[in-house]
């Protein structure tokens, strides 16, 4: 018969090390989320500035620009997310919407 391995004393197990790594993981996550949110907000701010600048322009807007603005408005109003749930797919919806809006606004240049 094999002898069962003796249980190690709690002091020999890496509880403290694992706890420290978990603390580091939390900080890393917070930093990642903060940076990601800042990037998305910067893109939204750029889009906002582009739309406002066109709105304040004294030039007559081309017909396709008016159509683009309507499309953007419909896209913005159709966004359905549930922020309270904090789902990754909702973040992806927001990111995709920003990309689509940026694609439209980039055609104006």
């Amino acid at each position: 018969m094999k002898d069962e391995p003796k249980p190690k004393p709690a002091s020999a197990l890496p509880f403290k090390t694992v706890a420290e790594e978990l603390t580091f993981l939390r900080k890393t996550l917070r930093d990642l989320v903060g940076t990601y949110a800042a990037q998305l907000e910067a893109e939204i701010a750029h889009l906002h500035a582009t739309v406002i600048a066109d709105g304040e322009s004294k030039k007559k807007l081309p017909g396709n620009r008016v159509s683009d603005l309507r499309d953007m408005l419909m896209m913005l109003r159709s966004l359905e997310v549930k922020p309270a749930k904090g789902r990754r797919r909702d973040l992806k919806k927001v990111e995709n919407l920003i990309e689509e809006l940026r694609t439209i606004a980039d055609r104006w240049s």
Side-chain angles (χ1 to χ4, degrees):
M1 263 198 218
K2 273 188 167 180
D3 290 332
E4 289 186 29
K6 294 181 182 179
K8 292 186 178 183
S11 61
L13 297 175
F15 288 113
K16 185 176 180 183
T17 306
V18 171
E20 289 169 354
E21 291 297 321
L22 287 169
T23 300
F24 175 76
L25 180 61
R26 282 181 78 184
K27 182 189 177 310
T28 302
L29 175 65
R30 261 187 258 120
D31 292 346
L32 285 169
V33 169
T35 302
Y36 179 72
Q39 290 171 352
L40 291 180
E41 287 182 24
E43 290 182 39
I44 293 169
H46 179 71
L47 286 165
H48 183 267
T50 302
V51 169
I52 293 297
D54 270 8
E56 293 175 348
S57 173
K58 302 295 181 198
K59 297 185 286 182
K60 184 177 179 189
L61 294 177
N64 63 344
R65 181 84 44 96
V66 173
S67 176
D68 286 345
L69 287 169
R70 286 189 191 123
D71 290 346
M72 291 172 88
L73 183 59
M74 286 176 38
M75 292 164 65
L76 287 162
R77 288 182 174 170
S78 68
L79 178 67
E80 292 185 18
V81 294
K82 297 178 182 175
K85 292 198 173 192
R87 297 183 298 196
R88 188 168 39 188
R89 71 176 169 198
D90 286 343
L91 282 173
K92 190 65 179 166
K93 286 179 184 179
V94 170
E95 185 179 14
N96 289 340
L97 175 60
I98 292 170
E99 288 177 18
E100 291 175 19
L101 295 172
R102 188 178 48 221
T103 300
I104 293 171
D106 286 348
R107 291 192 306 232
W108 300 350
S109 306

